[in-house]
Amino acid sequence: MEAQELIRSGLELTDTLITYLAKDAVGSEFLGSYIGNGRTAEDLADKQKVKLSTLTQTSKDMEQAAEQMSGRAEKNNERLGSIFTAIQSLGESVTRIEEGQRRYAEQFKSVIAQTMEIKKQIDGIVNISEQTNLLSFNASIEAAHAGAAGAGFRIIANEVKTPVREHQESDGQNPLRHGQAVREHLRA
């Protein structure tokens, strides 16, 4: 109750002051200036409230935008991490493939070296076969020149031809051709 009485008496005092000041020209001017200044101050306060409200909203909007950017940055970091892991895995795979190819090339070189050695051996066998065949042919000619005395020699010459003939008949080919086929296959 006391508060209501205090407010009522304050209002009465204000009304009395306004009435008194309104009677006097100087007081009237002072009162008008005071009331005008009060309205201007209220207008400025209202404008400041609006600007402060706008600033507050802009700040909130910027905070939301910053949070969104932060979220996107985190997702981008995760994606970059995944990409980096995939690139590392790819690099490791390439390294393993290169190592496998290197081992394959070394094995292939070894096969080529062994094939060349086999070719040398085949060439030697072919040479021996040709020489044996030639010797057997010469022995047959000499046995024919010797007549009946060379009959035993002819038997030996025929026996020497037999292994060469059997080898050629069993393969149906010259052993050198096998070596050539292997070389052509390795080059392909």
Side-chain angles (χ1 to χ4, degrees):
M1 260 309 177
E2 288 179 29
Q4 287 177 350
E5 284 180 32
L6 187 61
I7 291 173
R8 199 174 312 134
S9 59
L11 288 173
E12 287 174 9
L13 180 64
T14 305
D15 284 339
T16 307
L17 183 61
I18 290 173
T19 307
Y20 175 76
L21 288 175
K23 291 179 184 177
D24 185 6
V26 174
S28 177
E29 192 177 306
F30 170 75
L31 183 62
S33 171
Y34 178 75
I35 292 173
N37 286 340
R39 287 187 186 143
T40 306
E42 285 179 21
D43 289 344
L44 287 174
D46 288 342
K47 287 179 183 178
Q48 285 180 347
K49 284 180 186 178
V50 169
K51 288 183 180 184
L52 185 59
S53 175
T54 303
L55 182 62
T56 303
Q57 186 60 41
T58 303
S59 177
K60 288 179 182 178
D61 292 345
M62 288 176 62
E63 183 179 351
Q64 285 179 339
E67 288 176 3
Q68 289 175 350
M69 287 174 58
S70 176
R72 289 181 192 142
E74 286 179 24
K75 287 180 183 178
N76 285 341
N77 281 339
E78 291 173 6
R79 289 178 186 147
L80 286 174
S82 297
I83 291 170
F84 181 75
T85 302
I87 288 172
Q88 279 184 325
S89 176
L90 181 63
E92 291 169 0
S93 296
V94 167
T95 301
R96 284 193 304 271
I97 290 170
E98 286 175 346
E99 289 174 6
Q101 286 180 336
R102 199 173 8 261
R103 283 192 307 266
Y104 176 75
E106 289 173 8
Q107 291 172 350
F108 192 70
K109 286 178 184 177
S110 174
V111 168
I112 289 173
Q114 291 172 4
T115 302
M116 297 309 273
E117 187 61 34
I118 291 171
K119 182 199 175 296
K120 287 180 187 176
Q121 291 175 1
I122 289 173
D123 289 344
I125 292 171
V126 168
N127 188 25
I128 291 170
S129 174
E130 289 173 353
Q131 291 294 326
T132 304
N133 200 19
L134 185 61
L135 287 173
S136 141
F137 183 68
N138 284 339
S140 294
I141 291 173
E142 291 300 321
H145 284 288
F153 198 60
R154 186 176 311 124
I155 292 173
I156 293 173
N158 286 337
E159 288 299 318
V160 170
K161 283 183 184 178
T162 302
V164 173
R165 193 176 324 120
E166 286 176 357
H167 175 72
Q168 287 176 343
E169 288 173 2
S170 69
D171 281 345
Q173 298 184 38
N174 184 334
L176 184 58
R177 289 185 187 165
H178 290 293
Q180 288 172 343
V182 169
R183 264 185 278 141
E184 289 173 10
H185 179 68
L186 288 176
R187 286 183 187 156

